[in-house]
Amino acid sequence: MKRMVILAVTAAVILCLGIVVLMQRPTGTATGTDTGTDTGTARNTACRSVPAPAPEAVQGAAGLQAADTGSEAGAPTISGKRPAFGVATDGGFGSPSQWDEVARTIGESPSLIMAYSSFLEPVPLAGLEAVAARGATPVLTWEPWDPAAGPDQTRFGLTTIVDGHHDPYLWEWANTLRSYDKPVLIRFAHEMNFPWYPWGAGTSGNTPDDYVESWRHVHDLFEAAGVTNVSWVWNPQAPTCDSGELRAFFPGNNYVDVVALDAYNWGTTREGERWLTPEELFAEGLRQARELAPEKPILIGETSSTESGGSKADWITEFVAYLGAQPDVEGFIWFHYRKESDWRFTSSDSARDAFEAALSTR
């Protein structure tokens, strides 16, 4: 029964939003800003594999697509078109002015707004309410670490989660979110298949089994607390030629509501790297995601492109068109930060114009 309620909430999240939603990604922090720490080691290469044929739109995935709806008074509306548009800005959940600027720039309000919280923080209730007040759905990237302490943190090791050392904190989050009683997407311990986070494979002795057990522990605790308004987003880094299979990290279909992938086009910003197309970045990950969870909606949890090594404007156009050709990919979240590179879609006039055009014509 609880499972049916959660599935219903996933669909509702989706209806109310417009979506319920590298090579290495820029690292998020607890405050929704960025540490500036460059901890990834994956090279900017990708497998040119032939993906499995895209399936029909996923049963129930219509919940990820809302009808056009208003945002703040006078702001552009949230579009019901697919792929749905989401954004993460460097002000996190405390940056409504940045969300307004994004909406005015492209003529569309985001249906998903994402920010980062660490295991040192309480539930950001004010931020969740601010997002919901705009007609959007909050995406909480929940990171088991101290963002100021680097990748090796035994205090937040995956086995400490499994062994219950953080249960009082987890119960506090579960009870608070149950009382909040509005849809929330939780992206717990993302990009686990690479080693740049404390929960990542190979860091502090972590294994894929440790990750699966920690995910299930957190999920089961929330279920025991009676939380029915949270949808769980399982979000690995899009695999590369030399990375392992995602299957080893998958908690199982009963523990996941949405599957997501992260990938960035780093272009020629680093020695030995090259410009990568959206297909090169995502095709292999989509193939594996469809094999693991053929009935789950798919989101792009984080993405962007640099300007170095090619045309960012053309990349944006290709990206939105590529997702539009994947019936089971319901939306994406753009990493609108200026960090190792200027990842914002406003990094140039041509990129901004391409982003606006791509969304308006999808």
Side-chain angles (χ1 to χ4, degrees), residues 88-324:
T89 61
D90 60 15
F93 284 144
S95 58
S97 62
Q98 292 181 335
W99 310 334
D100 289 340
E101 181 181 4
V102 164
R104 287 193 299 267
T105 299
I106 60 173
E108 178 178 328
S109 289
S111 58
L112 291 175
I113 296 177
M114 186 171 76
Y116 303 86
S117 289
S118 78
F119 262 34
L120 300 179
E121 296 178 280
V123 175
L125 276 176
L128 301 183
E129 293 284 9
V131 173
R134 307 174 71 87
T137 295
V139 182
L140 257 175
T141 299
W142 197 14
E143 302 176 309
W145 74 332
D146 175 352
D152 281 317
Q153 300 184 31
T154 55
R155 173 186 175 190
F156 298 108
L158 293 178
T159 56
T160 69
I161 297 174
V162 176
D163 292 340
H165 294 298
H166 303 284
D167 279 5
Y169 172 74
L170 297 176
W171 277 103
E172 179 184 341
W173 264 64
N175 290 330
T176 301
L177 285 171
R178 186 189 65 236
S179 298
Y180 171 67
D181 201 30
K182 297 184 184 72
V184 181
L185 296 169
I186 289 186
R187 204 171 68 120
F188 175 71
H190 62 303
E191 299 178 10
M192 77 303 290
N193 53 322
F194 281 90
W196 45 73
Y197 286 119
W199 57 85
T203 302
S204 301
N206 292 333
T207 68
D209 286 345
D210 292 334
Y211 181 83
V212 169
E213 289 181 24
S214 66
W215 177 285
R216 290 177 176 175
H217 181 86
V218 175
H219 180 281
D220 287 347
L221 187 149
F222 270 60
E223 189 169 78
V227 180
T228 58
N229 56 312
V230 165
S231 294
W232 295 92
V233 182
W234 181 73
N235 194 162
Q237 175 78 9
T240 63
C241 292
D242 52 1
S243 65
E245 290 282 315
L246 300 181
R247 181 176 302 277
F249 299 90
F250 189 57
N253 281 289
N254 289 336
Y255 290 88
V256 172
D257 298 304
V258 179
V259 174
L261 296 167
D262 291 355
Y264 288 75
N265 174 32
W266 290 81
T268 56
T269 56
R270 298 176 182 177
E271 185 177 353
E273 294 174 348
R274 67 179 179 85
W275 189 265
L276 292 172
T277 67
E279 181 179 6
E280 288 177 301
L281 286 172
F282 291 108
E284 175 61 18
L286 289 174
R287 182 190 68 79
Q288 292 190 36
R290 288 163 180 156
E291 287 182 352
L292 284 173
E295 296 184 359
K296 302 293 183 184
I298 299 174
L299 303 177
I300 303 305
E302 295 178 28
T303 196
S304 186
S305 173
T306 182
E307 298 269 5
S308 301
S311 168
K312 183 172 181 175
D314 289 348
W315 193 93
I316 289 169
T317 302
E318 287 180 50
F319 170 72
V320 176
Y322 177 71
L323 295 192

Side-chain angles (χ1 to χ4, degrees), residues 18 68 76-87 102-111 303 313 316-321 323-324 330-334 336 345 351-362:
D68 290 356
T77 61
I78 291 173
S79 172
K81 297 178 181 178
R82 193 190 64 80
F85 163 57
V87 72
V102 164
R104 287 193 299 267
T105 299
I106 60 173
E108 178 178 328
S109 289
S111 58
T303 196
I316 289 169
T317 302
E318 287 180 50
F319 170 72
V320 176
L323 295 192
E330 297 295 345
F332 67 94
I333 298 174
W334 190 267
H336 197 62
F345 58 75
R352 180 200 62 219
D353 292 346
F355 203 93
E356 180 181 6
L359 291 188
S360 67
T361 58
R362 74 195 192 282

